Amino acid sequence: FHLLRIIRVFVRFGLDEFVTSIRLFRPYAFIFKLVPVRRYRDAPRGERVRMALEELGPVFVKFGQVLSTRPDLLPEDIAQSLSSLQDRVPPFPGDQAIAVIEEAYGEDLSVHFSEFEKESTASASVAQVHYAKLHDGSEVVVKVVRPGIATIIERDLELLHTLADLAERYWSQGKRIKPREVVEDYDRTIHDELDLMREAASASQLRVNFDGSDQIYVPQVYWEHTCRQVMVMERIYGIPIRDIDALKAAGIDMKKLAHAGVEIFFTQAFRDGFFHADMHPGNIFVSEDGQYRAVDFGIMGTLSTSDKRYLAENLLAFFNRDYHRVADAHIRAGWVPPDTNAEQFEAAIRTVCEPIFSRPIS
């Protein structure tokens, strides 16, 4: 039933070519043209893909968000449209947001906030954000979990698990890519996002890790106003990282900004073993003096001591073009099967990497 729903939505938005690209459905292509649904063929293709994912629900919106960070894999029109999924998912009404907050608090909104903007400022697949003020005058953002989202996520995850099972059985690349493991990992990730206490704890930890840093600022969590369905955090101001023209107009040193961005991430990964794992452009801002401002800590990554060692060995070996060490590190880390032929693996890695080294940095 859910698979038919996906097909119907794609056909409705005039995306028949995506459906018929699946070998199983090609003999039935003529049927899709007869489906009595309103078709949105006038809108650009990328916009139609975005609208289809939005209609399919939060799990598919998340999928679109992941794809939007990989423009090397997508046609430019689709990549550009999917980028708007990062912080402009259609919001739910402000009255519903207030109802969720008051139910979570067990008391009136006015007990916690002197001002609350009913119109959301950003809306994502799992939650949305509203500006507000505390009674001491502090400007804050209030993140609210979407009403009924848990039920929708369970329904869509059930479909993903089914598709993963089919892929592992019938897709030639299934055993190598391990779709069941991918979906199970995603299952854990999206359930973590439903618990805003977990996100608040992650934000607090990252704030401690970069306390006093002039490279990145992590906003403060107001714990007395935070619970599982509602998170209250300091409001920050900045230029969206994707707005290159605004960054240049503000006199931001782009080379210094790029250098700081790399240093921040490697500090998270190799010093702390705890890093922001959802760093798409909608989650990153820059102050007028060039300091990064991070938001949305729903997805975080961790690295063990052995993970950090193997990653460091790999990076050094890549930069030194020592592909035997790259292959050996992968095998010792368990990232490939232990019976992998090291010499053949080394040759395959060399084939992939050498063309990259011959290209200019631009």
Side-chain angles (χ1 to χ4, degrees):
F1 172 77
H2 293 317
L3 184 59
L4 290 175
R5 174 173 167 264
I6 292 174
I7 293 172
R8 181 179 174 84
V9 169
F10 268 67
V11 172
R12 180 185 173 211
F13 285 98
L15 300 169
D16 311 49
E17 70 264 31
F18 290 98
V19 178
T20 54
S21 67
I22 303 170
R23 188 171 55 189
L24 177 65
F25 297 127
R26 282 177 197 156
Y28 309 102
F30 74 96
I31 296 176
F32 299 138
K33 299 182 187 301
L34 303 176
V35 174
V37 293
R38 183 180 177 187
R39 296 167 183 268
Y40 293 81
R41 293 194 180 277
D42 294 336
R45 181 180 64 168
E47 189 176 338
R48 285 184 279 126
V49 171
R50 176 185 60 79
M51 290 190 294
L53 292 177
E54 287 176 348
E55 180 155 325
L56 287 170
V59 171
F60 297 92
V61 168
K62 270 293 179 195
F63 178 62
Q65 288 176 342
V66 172
L67 287 179
S68 74
T69 64
R70 295 297 306 274
D72 54 312
L73 301 179
L74 298 171
E76 185 177 353
D77 63 321
I78 293 178
Q80 190 170 355
S81 291
L82 292 187
S83 68
S84 66
L85 288 171
Q86 292 167 349
D87 55 8
R88 288 196 292 274
V89 176
F92 56 92
D95 288 335
Q96 287 187 23
I98 291 172
V100 171
I101 295 168
E102 292 186 335
E103 182 179 357
Y105 285 159
E107 55 192 2
D108 193 80
L109 191 77
S110 61
V111 174
H112 295 260
F113 308 108
S114 60
E115 296 178 19
F116 183 87
E117 295 186 14
K118 288 179 68 173
E119 186 175 343
S120 68
T121 183
S123 185
S125 53
V126 172
Q128 72 183 29
V129 170
H130 295 257
Y131 290 142
K133 270 190 181 181
L134 301 179
H135 288 289
D136 65 2
S138 299
E139 295 186 48
V140 296
V141 294
V142 183
K143 189 170 186 176
V144 189
V145 171
R146 285 181 172 269
I149 192 66
T151 303
I152 296 170
I153 285 175
E154 293 302 332
R155 181 199 68 195
D156 289 346
L157 282 172
E158 183 181 346
L159 172 60
L160 282 180
H161 281 290
T162 300
L163 292 174
D165 289 340
L166 291 172
E168 200 137 316
R169 277 190 287 171
Y170 300 114
W171 185 30
S172 61
Q173 300 294 316
K175 289 185 178 179
R176 183 175 67 85
I177 296 177
K178 301 179 181 177
R180 286 192 184 117
E181 290 185 22
V182 171
V183 172
E184 285 167 6
D185 184 60
Y186 182 70
D187 193 327
R188 288 189 295 269
T189 298
I190 200 162
H191 276 103
D192 286 348
E193 283 197 81
L194 288 172
D195 185 354
L196 296 185
M197 286 289 285
R198 183 184 291 266
E199 177 177 346
S202 296
S204 290
Q205 179 65 62
L206 199 64
R207 180 177 169 86
V208 169
N209 291 351
F210 284 92
D211 184 38
S213 170
D214 59 358
Q215 291 184 326
I216 184 170
Y217 183 82
V218 179
Q220 174 187 352
V221 173
Y222 291 89
W223 283 107
E224 63 273 28
H225 306 286
T226 295
C227 60
R228 187 179 173 86
Q229 293 83 25
V230 183
M231 182 177 70
V232 178
M233 182 176 284
E234 174 188 1
R235 180 176 177 179
I236 56 106
Y237 292 88
I239 303 166
I241 192 73
R242 67 161 67 92
D243 195 342
I244 304 299
D245 292 338
L247 292 172
K248 290 179 177 178
I252 302 295
D253 185 330
M254 302 300 282
K255 185 176 181 180
K256 183 178 178 182
L257 188 69
H259 186 278
V262 173
E263 188 171 324
I264 289 165
F265 184 77
F266 277 81
T267 300
Q268 292 179 69
F270 290 103
R271 185 192 70 184
D272 305 323
F274 181 73
F275 59 92
H276 196 307
D278 194 19
M279 296 180 70
H280 64 67
N283 287 341
I284 306 171
F285 299 83
V286 180
S287 69
E288 292 194 356
D289 60 356
Q291 184 188 45
Y292 281 92
R293 303 282 172 89
V295 299
D296 195 347
F297 309 94
I299 305 176
M300 305 296 290
T302 57
L303 294 170
S304 66
T305 301
S306 59
D307 287 335
K308 289 189 281 186
R309 177 176 181 83
Y310 286 126
L311 279 172
E313 286 183 8
N314 267 285
L315 286 169
L316 289 171
F318 272 121
F319 292 140
N320 291 324
R321 301 191 185 186
D322 187 346
Y323 302 122
H324 180 76
R325 280 188 64 194
V326 175
D328 180 61
H330 272 71
I331 294 169
R332 284 187 292 114
W335 296 338
V336 295
D339 59 350
T340 299
N341 183 298
E343 286 72 27
Q344 292 179 2
F345 190 34
E346 175 189 348
I349 294 169
R350 180 180 293 108
T351 302
V352 171
C353 294
E354 277 302 308
I356 298 172
F357 280 109
S358 69
R359 295 171 65 84
I361 194 67
S362 61

